Amino acid sequence: MADHLLEMRKITKEFPGVKALENVNFKVKEGEIHALCGENGAGKSTLMKVLSGVYPDGSYTGEILFQGKVCQFKNIKQSEGLGIVIIHQELALIPELTIAENIFLGNEQAKKGIIDWNQTTTKTKALLQKVGLKESPNTLIKHIGVGKQQLVEIAKALAKEVKLLILDEPTAALNESDSENLLQLLLQFKKQGMTSIIISHKLNEILKVADSITILRDGQTIETLEREKEVITEDRIIKGMVGRSLSNQDTKREADIGKTIFEVKNWTVYHPLQRDRKMVDNVNLHIRRGEIVGIAGLMGAGRTELAMSIFGQSYGQKISGKIEIDGKEVELKNVSQAIQQGVAYVTEDRKTYGLILNDDIKTNITLPSLQQLSKRAIIDQHEEIRTAGEYRKKLNIKAASILQRAENLSGGNQQKVVLSKWMLTEPEILIMDEPTRGIDIGAKYEIYAIINQLAAKGKGILLISSELPEILRICDRIYVMSAGKITGEVNREEATQETLMKYMTVSRRQNDAGRETADTK
């Protein structure tokens, strides 16, 4: 058997006006975990779509060898038939079906055209045991969390007798505990002889599990690093990805913090459908001019629910409490009022709520600001084009033109379009929910720089992030949430990952002063 399970030779893939891959060479050894790294738009996902048959033979040039044999995949079914299975970042599960039904969807356990449910259940139990998921095969997907759904996807891959497992950003939507469990599972599979390819922007995770790391930049292979041949560091990977080293100096700033600009008092929000379920419980927080305030918390802590309810009551019902801007109480009962009062919200889900994917960059950037770009209710198209072009340049959005559709941009550039959209409204308070999720290290540093620039202009920033190093790197002060409540407030000088985790995993009680205190579970 060939030493390399997979070889991709001189792969070139073009889209109209764009060469996504150019003579890419990629080799994966039998039984290793091989990481594929690169900035958004470097060609990682495109290369994996070529491998898995999403882009069929004939739509690219070059050669694929699997187990030493040339392969010409016309579709995904052909690649899966050889044991090549890809799990995409957006999970392909049907919420209304059970775990068992999802695992064997398209791969039904049938006899004479009739599904054998006993066999389906038995095999599902065995697969769930392999991935360490203690759920009933009859549980509906909508009733389990994202971390468990990711394990269902892996079980689904194992059901297809996988030889090469490809995971595209498998931990992007997971908390630290679920991410660690998934990485340990990959290491366990490796011991059993399985070969894996992992695409991730979380370099600390790459260093934890990968035997080899191939770096792509601008659609070309830059280098492959092998752990057994050299000591690999995050900075070494970053240098290959962006062409230079990045350091904390790139995000440091001298904070000039002024008076309180934004304050939330006794804020309580109930679930939009379950009237008695409290999602945000008596939250109090404030932001000062020029201050970057972080909100840390585990998934389900209520961070997004808090942000969306503040932004024009976009989430929840029976909302109570007060919001003050510059010391004056304001009403933010809808999104229009929030924008008029100088509040903007960068959503965590840019594809669903942040962008109109099938529209162009220009329209996405200017949509919330059409009133200021109009004269007598008629949009000034020249001004719209000029403004969109200005923000494209200012935020370094990589695109053929402002008329390029948002769906064809990389994740990092999509996020810059969302930021441009809200910066154009000239907000005084900018709420940012997971602003760097799923984007590469180079784009992250660019977004950090934009956040710092806004703070330097006296804006108030509220930053929600699941990445504790990110919170610690750029925030001046950090609130911690658990089960809908603020459980801690920590200044930058006192903040550590251990301190934040203590407040993120607490049981709560009222102290004598009526404030929340935290006790480790």
Side-chain angles (χ1 to χ4, degrees):
M1 186 176 288
D3 182 40
H4 290 96
L5 178 69
L6 170 73
E7 286 189 59
M8 301 182 77
R9 299 174 179 171
K10 296 184 177 180
I11 303 294
T12 298
K13 171 67 179 173
E14 295 188 44
F15 297 102
V18 180
K19 188 173 279 189
L21 299 171
E22 185 175 6
N23 289 323
V24 169
N25 294 291
F26 181 55
K27 295 181 180 181
V28 178
K29 292 178 183 176
E30 181 95 36
E32 73 169 345
I33 299 176
H34 198 118
L36 194 56
C37 294
E39 295 186 90
N40 286 106
K44 308 181 299 297
S45 294
T46 302
L47 185 65
M48 292 301 96
K49 286 177 180 177
V50 166
L51 171 59
S52 59
V54 173
Y55 298 137
D57 180 60
S59 68
Y60 62 88
T61 60
E63 194 173 48
I64 298 172
L65 282 82
F66 188 70
Q67 294 182 312
K69 296 179 181 178
V70 175
C71 300
Q72 296 174 317
F73 301 128
K74 295 293 185 183
N75 51 50
I76 296 176
K77 193 166 185 177
Q78 286 186 356
S79 64
E80 287 185 347
L82 288 182
I84 301 171
V85 182
I86 184 168
I87 299 174
H88 297 282
Q89 184 175 347
E90 288 83 15
L91 301 182
L93 299 173
I94 299 175
E96 301 297 331
L97 295 184
T98 66
I99 290 174
E101 288 168 335
N102 270 279
I103 285 176
F104 288 102
L105 188 62
N107 184 27
E108 287 79 7
Q109 305 302 293
K111 294 177 181 177
K112 297 179 180 179
I114 300 172
I115 294 175
D116 185 335
W117 290 109
N118 288 330
Q119 186 178 14
T120 299
T121 301
T122 300
K123 285 190 174 182
T124 299
K125 286 179 179 177
L127 291 166
L128 294 182
Q129 188 174 4
K130 278 188 179 181
V131 300
L133 186 54
K134 298 176 182 178
E135 294 286 340
S136 165
N138 297 320
T139 302
L140 296 180
I141 289 294
K142 67 180 181 180
H143 292 154
I144 62 175
V146 177
K148 291 180 178 180
Q149 288 181 23
Q150 188 70 267
L151 294 178
V152 173
E153 279 280 20
I154 294 173
K156 187 176 178 179
L158 295 179
K160 297 171 183 174
E161 299 182 5
V162 60
K163 294 186 178 74
L164 176 61
L165 180 64
I166 305 165
L167 300 106
D168 192 351
E169 297 290 349
T171 65
L174 304 187
N175 60 37
E176 291 197 5
S177 175
D178 286 340
S179 296
E180 180 62 26
N181 290 340
L182 181 58
L183 296 177
Q184 290 303 318
L185 186 60
L186 286 183
L187 291 172
Q188 182 181 322
F189 287 163
K190 176 188 166 185
K191 288 179 182 177
Q192 296 168 3
M194 186 186 294
T195 308
S196 302
I197 297 173
I198 180 171
I199 300 173
S200 179
H201 294 308
K202 297 181 181 180
L203 302 187
N204 61 322
E205 295 180 356
I206 291 294
L207 290 173
K208 191 173 289 186
V209 299
D211 301 296
S212 304
I213 302 166
T214 293
I215 298 171
L216 299 183
R217 190 197 312 153
D218 297 328
Q220 297 181 321
T221 311
I222 300 301
E223 58 186 337
T224 294
L225 309 175
E226 297 184 43
R227 190 186 294 275
E228 62 182 23
K229 292 183 180 178
E230 61 180 300
V231 176
I232 306 172
T233 63
E234 284 193 28
D235 193 59
R236 176 71 182 83
I237 300 171
I238 292 168
K239 191 173 182 180
M241 286 169 58
V242 303
R244 66 183 182 92
S245 297
L246 297 174
S247 70
N248 285 336
Q249 296 296 324
D250 293 288
T251 57
K252 281 188 176 179
R253 67 188 180 93
E254 293 296 327
D256 183 14
I257 296 174
K259 295 181 179 179
T260 297
I261 182 177
F262 188 75
E263 192 162 5
V264 176
K265 295 181 177 180
N266 305 319
W267 196 254
T268 297
V269 180
Y270 285 81
H271 192 280
L273 300 177
Q274 302 171 28
R275 295 185 63 83
D276 297 328
R277 185 179 174 191
K278 199 179 286 186
M279 303 302 294
V280 178
D281 190 357
N282 198 39
V283 163
N284 292 275
L285 62 82
H286 68 278
I287 308 168
R288 293 170 290 186
R289 286 195 175 276
E291 186 178 32
I292 302 173
V293 176
I295 299 186
L298 298 175
M299 200 173 295
R303 299 167 301 163
T304 294
E305 291 82 358
L306 171 64
M308 290 182 69
S309 62
I310 289 171
F311 185 61
Q313 301 191 7
S314 303
Y315 173 89
Q317 63 167 326
K318 295 196 294 183
I319 297 172
S320 60
K322 294 181 180 179
I323 294 176
E324 293 182 0
I325 296 177
D326 285 328
K328 296 179 182 178
E329 187 176 344
V330 296
E331 283 196 348
L332 307 180
K333 291 192 174 179
N334 54 57
V335 170
S336 294
Q337 283 186 350
I339 295 172
Q340 288 166 10
Q341 293 289 348
V343 181
Y345 172 57
V346 176
T347 173
E348 67 170 340
D349 188 349
R350 58 180 171 263
K351 290 188 176 180
T352 303
Y353 300 114
L355 296 166
I356 303 173
L357 289 172
N358 62 0
D359 221 327
D360 57 38
I361 293 170
K362 170 181 67 67
T363 301
N364 274 284
I365 289 176
T366 60
L367 194 59
S369 307
L370 291 179
Q371 192 170 351
Q372 70 192 60
L373 296 171
S374 302
K375 295 176 182 177
R376 297 175 185 175
I378 298 173
I379 298 170
D380 184 337
Q381 293 185 352
H382 293 293
E383 182 62 15
E384 186 184 22
I385 290 168
R386 186 199 66 78
T387 301
E390 178 187 325
Y391 273 87
R392 177 195 167 201
K393 185 176 180 181
K394 187 186 292 186
L395 273 73
N396 191 29
I397 299 169
K398 295 175 182 176
S401 77
I402 58 171
L403 299 179
Q404 185 170 337
R405 284 161 65 149
E407 65 186 349
N408 295 327
L409 298 174
S410 67
N413 287 302
Q414 286 181 345
Q415 192 70 349
K416 289 178 190 177
V417 172
V418 176
L419 278 171
S420 298
K421 174 176 78 171
W422 291 117
M423 286 170 65
L424 181 56
T425 67
E426 299 182 346
E428 292 301 309
I429 301 99
L430 183 59
I431 304 169
M432 310 181 78
D433 194 350
E434 303 285 4
T436 65
R437 173 178 286 170
I439 66 175
D440 62 75
I441 192 73
K444 275 188 180 183
Y445 275 75
E446 288 182 303
I447 288 172
Y448 294 156
I450 292 165
I451 294 170
N452 286 339
Q453 289 165 15
L454 291 169
K457 292 178 180 177
K459 312 295 186 183
I461 311 291
L462 186 64
L463 176 73
I464 298 169
S465 177
S466 297
E467 294 187 36
L468 295 186
E470 179 169 87
I471 287 272
L472 294 168
R473 175 181 285 134
I474 63 174
C475 293
D476 302 304
R477 189 163 48 88
I478 303 162
Y479 289 105
V480 186
M481 288 188 73
S482 177
K485 292 188 177 184
I486 299 288
T487 54
E489 180 183 345
V490 189
N491 289 322
R492 180 204 287 267
E493 295 76 18
E494 305 160 350
T496 64
Q497 290 202 40
E498 291 73 22
T499 303
L500 298 184
M501 281 302 297
K502 182 186 77 170
Y503 287 120
M504 287 161 64
T505 55
V506 297
S507 58
R508 293 170 300 279
R509 58 181 172 79
Q510 293 287 343
N511 65 10
D512 295 336
R515 286 185 59 84
E516 294 293 333
T517 59
D519 295 308
T520 303
K521 279 184 177 177

